[in-house]
Amino acid sequence: MEQESDDVSNIHNRFSLTLVNPSSHYFSLVVSLVVASVMVLATYFGYLGNLGFEQNWYRLPIVLGVLVATQLLDTRFSKKKEFSKSLHSSLFGNMLWTVTVLMGILSSVVLAKEIELFFIVFGLLLFASFRIGIYTTTLGASLKKAWAICFIQPLAMYFVLIPQDMWLSILYEPVGLAYGISFMIIASVWSVLTDRAGRPGMESTHKTIQAYLASQGNDFEDAEELMEQRSSETKVTTSQLRLSSPNGKTDFRMVLPEIHPGPYHPVGGSNIPYLIYKNLSSSAMVMHSISDHSLNLPSRNEVESYLKKIEDSKVKEEGLHCTEPVTVQINKARVTGLLFGNNPFLFLSLSPHGMEDIPSYMKTEIEQYAENRNYARAMIVDCHNAMGEEISKEDGEDMLKAAKSCLDSLITKESYPIEFGYANSDDMDVWTEDLGMGGLGVVCLVINSKKYFLGWADANNMENGIREKIIDNFSKRDYNLLEICTSDTHYAPVKARNRNGYYQLGLITSADKLSKWFLEIAKVAESETTTAKFEILENEANVKVMGQGIYEDYSKALDNSLKITKAFVIGGVLFFITSLFL
């Protein structure tokens, strides 16, 4: 499981490179106009000074007009007809041309030599070579098509930039042609090599990148198709603890799906906690089970299939009694447990220190220990309430010791009748960028005349220390908040432009505001407590999950592509520098 976590983290880091794109296509439009203006001015004041900008000032607005027109035309050549990508690529291409022109001027000043006109056509062809790379990698064009259309924007701008009687003399500058055509060949070779970087596991790296980029605009069909092709069917278990009042009017469930939210918004089961929550009439806490990204559902089809199947859950055990909670802390590791009948419910956390998904070997060991102690079935929750890396060996051992100690203590505890009350934030205005569609929920358990609260957030993890601040605020009001859990949803209300790709709970919303919301919900839950019976429900379903191999192949392809790109960039920069000394 450590390798799986490394692969997922690596993929996430590689795709975070897409954040170099401007956040707004309006920004790209404005900056591309500014950059093109600099290029026009540099050309006339640096290279064509004898013609006089005063006599050619009208060329500036014409160049800008042609730039905008060709940006619109470019959308017709991209696979998805996306205007934003056309603008982003135009911006970076124009920057290359402008930098080339400016470097030519700088080299003439520093080296005290005559300015060379070949930098104009060199910059034009660099622009074209960049278009070859961008069209084949992200815009879905074949290499032949990319060559056919790579000249459209730069040549259109060139023909209105340069006086007609100088078109051929500048275009046929032999040094500029030699350098420019060399870079076009380099771009073509780079495109072929990076596309094949993931073979044999991945046929086309470019198609994967294109599908990912399209999914960021809610066009997720290609991404789901690619993932579903690589997925395999497996059996997954969904466990539930159901609390209900004698008259059946009040019903609440804690759900532990063996599947994992993901892979990323909006693909596949990224919003699965909320969908389960809604299927259970918004009266549920969908916990993070001991699972990892290999158990992601790859497509909406598999999500719908899974949701239908968990409706057929069967009652495995029922009862009326529960123990008071037991909390065991060993160094950083903390385990809180309750025993419903003969079924222990354990909550595992390292907060405020944090960790990634709890590895499956720990679940196996805890379940085996519970079985050896003659428990019926152990339900284990990964609280997922602080940010961190893969759990260390020392912390893992401490958590296992704490879980086993908690199980040993629960055996000795007396059981009492249960009362419960549940409330959520559905009727409150709690929308925030670090919270998913399921909002917040609190369940109040009354055991042996004592009240205990458990909080839940439909969020992708929590900012470190937020849990402790909320629990402290509860404590000041004599409310015993045992734990706060997140669903680890991969739904994102807004696109987070950071390395994580999401905002963990507490990063945007303050601990005081979250405490206020949780306390308001807790008071409602407290006011609605009623006697209850519990039921343990289980369901086994065959669904397609993404598995481990797909992450290994994706990670390998992206690593190889980046290595190839680094080598070509270093070589290209050194080759470019040689032109400055000619």
Side-chain angles (χ1 to χ4, degrees):
M1 287 303 110
E2 184 176 350
Q3 178 62 42
E4 186 270 340
S5 178
D6 290 345
D7 289 333
V8 172
S9 298
N10 189 48
I11 292 168
H12 195 77
N13 289 335
R14 299 307 184 218
F15 276 126
S16 69
L17 294 174
T18 59
L19 296 176
V20 299
N21 267 348
S23 59
S24 166
H25 61 272
Y26 296 111
F27 177 87
S28 289
L29 174 60
V30 172
V31 177
S32 67
L33 293 173
V34 172
V35 169
S37 298
V38 172
M39 187 270 293
V40 172
L41 295 173
T43 299
Y44 273 91
F45 285 104
Y47 293 86
L48 305 177
N50 60 313
L51 298 180
F53 183 70
E54 295 81 4
Q55 288 75 40
N56 290 276
W57 64 266
Y58 62 90
R59 294 187 182 276
L60 176 57
I62 295 175
V63 168
L64 299 182
V66 168
L67 171 61
V68 173
T70 51
Q71 286 172 340
L72 289 169
L73 180 63
D74 267 354
T75 62
R76 309 310 305 164
F77 303 125
S78 65
K79 186 177 178 182
K80 298 288 184 178
K81 308 294 186 288
E82 295 153 298
F83 187 44
S84 60
K85 288 181 184 174
S86 170
L87 288 172
H88 297 331
S89 64
S90 177
L91 167 60
F92 289 116
N94 273 284
M95 288 173 67
L96 276 176
W97 192 353
T98 303
V99 166
T100 304
V101 170
L102 291 174
M103 290 298 290
I105 296 172
L106 181 63
S107 69
S108 71
V109 173
V110 173
L111 300 176
K113 64 174 186 174
E114 187 177 343
I115 196 162
E116 301 287 350
L117 287 176
F118 76 77
F119 281 103
I120 297 175
V121 69
F122 182 16
L124 182 154
L125 294 175
L126 261 182
F127 190 171
S129 67
F130 174 79
R131 284 165 64 84
I132 290 173
I134 206 72
Y135 265 93
T136 53
T137 54
T138 64
L139 297 178
S142 66
L143 189 56
K144 289 181 180 178
K145 184 177 179 181
W147 266 84
I149 62 180
C150 69
F151 293 106
I152 292 175
Q153 189 171 105
L155 272 181
M157 293 173 65
Y158 174 83
F159 286 138
V160 295
L161 169 68
I162 304 297
Q164 186 175 352
D165 60 345
M166 299 182 69
W167 283 356
L168 295 181
S169 61
I170 293 178
L171 273 178
Y172 289 159
E173 282 284 339
V175 177
L177 279 176
Y179 270 95
I181 292 172
S182 296
F183 270 96
M184 293 182 71
I185 293 171
I186 289 170
S188 301
V189 173
W190 171 84
S191 177
V192 171
L193 292 179
T194 53
D195 191 38
R196 298 177 178 180
R199 294 182 181 179
M202 184 188 297
E203 181 63 24
S204 171
T205 307
H206 292 175
K207 284 185 178 178
T208 303
I209 294 172
Q210 291 156 22
Y212 171 79
L213 293 174
S215 68
Q216 296 306 289
N218 267 341
D219 181 3
F220 49 79
E221 284 81 4
D222 289 348
E224 291 193 343
E225 183 180 349
L226 285 172
M227 292 178 180
E228 194 163 9
Q229 286 172 358
R230 294 289 308 278
S231 299
S232 56
E233 193 170 277
T234 191
K235 183 178 288 186
V236 296
T237 301
T238 302
S239 302
Q240 300 179 50
L241 169 68
R242 179 184 180 188
L243 297 173
S244 56
S245 59
N247 58 16
K249 289 184 178 180
T250 308
D251 186 284
F252 162 76
R253 305 185 192 207
M254 286 189 207
V255 186
L256 276 104
E258 197 173 27
I259 57 169
H260 189 279
Y264 61 89
H265 178 71
V267 175
S270 55
N271 200 20
I272 193 71
Y274 172 73
L275 296 175
I276 296 172
Y277 171 83
K278 290 301 290 184
N279 263 28
L280 296 175
S281 304
S282 302
S283 185
M285 293 179 176
V286 184
M287 302 298 190
H288 187 308
S289 62
I290 311 297
S291 59
D292 54 47
H293 283 275
S294 65
L295 292 166
N296 289 155
L297 298 178
S299 68
R300 302 293 174 96
N301 291 335
E302 286 303 312
V303 169
E304 290 174 9
S305 173
Y306 171 78
L307 291 173
K308 288 177 182 176
K309 289 171 181 175
I310 63 172
E311 292 175 1
D312 299 328
S313 298
K314 293 179 172 55
V315 177
K316 294 294 183 178
E317 189 173 334
E318 57 185 2
L320 299 170
H321 295 83
C322 176
T323 64
E324 291 185 60
V326 170
T327 299
V328 178
Q329 180 99 31
I330 299 179
N331 297 320
K332 297 177 184 176
R334 180 180 56 258
V335 177
T336 299
L338 299 100
L339 186 61
F340 292 87
N342 195 32
N343 303 273
F345 216 108
L346 303 181
F347 299 87
L348 280 56
S349 175
L350 280 181
S351 179
H353 307 285
M355 63 176 166
E356 256 296 346
D357 298 330
I358 294 175
S360 59
Y361 79 86
M362 293 179 64
K363 176 186 177 185
T364 302
E365 189 165 338
I366 294 169
E367 287 178 337
Q368 184 60 57
Y369 191 86
E371 186 178 329
N372 293 343
R373 294 296 183 274
N374 296 317
Y375 285 116
R377 59 184 51 74
M379 287 174 282
I380 309 166
V381 175
D382 177 354
C383 293
H384 220 68
N385 53 9
M387 303 287 288
E389 303 297 326
E390 182 79 16
I391 192 168
S392 67
K393 181 180 178 182
E394 294 76 13
D395 290 341
E397 289 175 353
D398 288 342
M399 185 163 282
L400 285 172
K401 290 176 184 175
K404 292 173 182 178
S405 175
C406 187
L407 288 170
D408 288 339
S409 296
L410 287 172
I411 292 175
T412 66
K413 293 293 180 180
E414 186 177 347
S415 291
Y416 302 93
I418 312 167
E419 293 180 41
F420 85 101
Y422 167 78
N424 58 38
S425 61
D426 281 5
D427 296 327
M428 298 167 56
D429 181 18
V430 299
W431 188 93
T432 177
E433 294 175 345
D434 49 358
L435 191 62
M437 298 174 71
L440 307 172
V442 175
V443 63
C444 174
L445 298 173
V446 183
I447 305 166
N448 192 23
S449 301
K450 301 171 186 174
K451 294 176 182 176
Y452 304 95
F453 295 86
L454 182 69
W456 174 82
D458 187 23
N460 192 334
N461 216 324
M462 292 177 70
E463 181 73 355
N464 293 16
I466 291 293
R467 169 199 175 274
E468 283 64 34
K469 291 177 182 177
I470 296 173
I471 287 180
D472 183 56
N473 283 332
F474 265 67
S475 179
K476 289 175 182 176
R477 293 161 178 80
D478 294 325
Y479 276 42
N480 189 350
L481 182 60
L482 296 174
E483 197 58 89
I484 307 172
C485 304
T486 72
S487 64
D488 193 31
T489 181
H490 282 45
Y491 167 83
V494 295
K495 184 178 180 181
R497 294 186 64 81
N498 59 22
R499 289 182 64 84
N500 291 329
Y502 62 88
Y503 298 127
Q504 61 269 23
L505 188 66
L507 186 65
I508 303 294
T509 311
S510 69
D512 288 340
K513 181 176 281 189
L514 288 169
S515 296
K516 178 183 175 183
W517 288 341
F518 271 120
L519 279 163
E520 187 176 336
I521 299 167
K523 288 175 183 176
V524 176
E526 181 185 25
S527 69
E528 296 184 355
T529 53
T530 179
T531 57
K533 73 170 183 176
F534 76 83
E535 293 175 322
I536 305 297
L537 292 84
E538 269 192 13
N539 167 268
E540 288 187 344
N542 290 317
V543 292
K544 278 187 176 180
V545 296
M546 290 177 62
Q548 169 59 26
I550 189 170
Y551 296 106
E552 292 176 356
D553 291 340
Y554 282 9
S555 180
K556 175 186 173 184
L558 293 173
D559 274 348
N560 290 345
S561 294
L562 194 61
K563 289 176 184 175
I564 292 168
T565 301
K566 284 180 179 177
F568 272 75
V569 168
I570 292 171
V573 169
L574 293 175
F575 186 41
F576 179 91
I577 290 172
T578 64
S579 71
L580 303 177
F581 295 93
L582 297 177

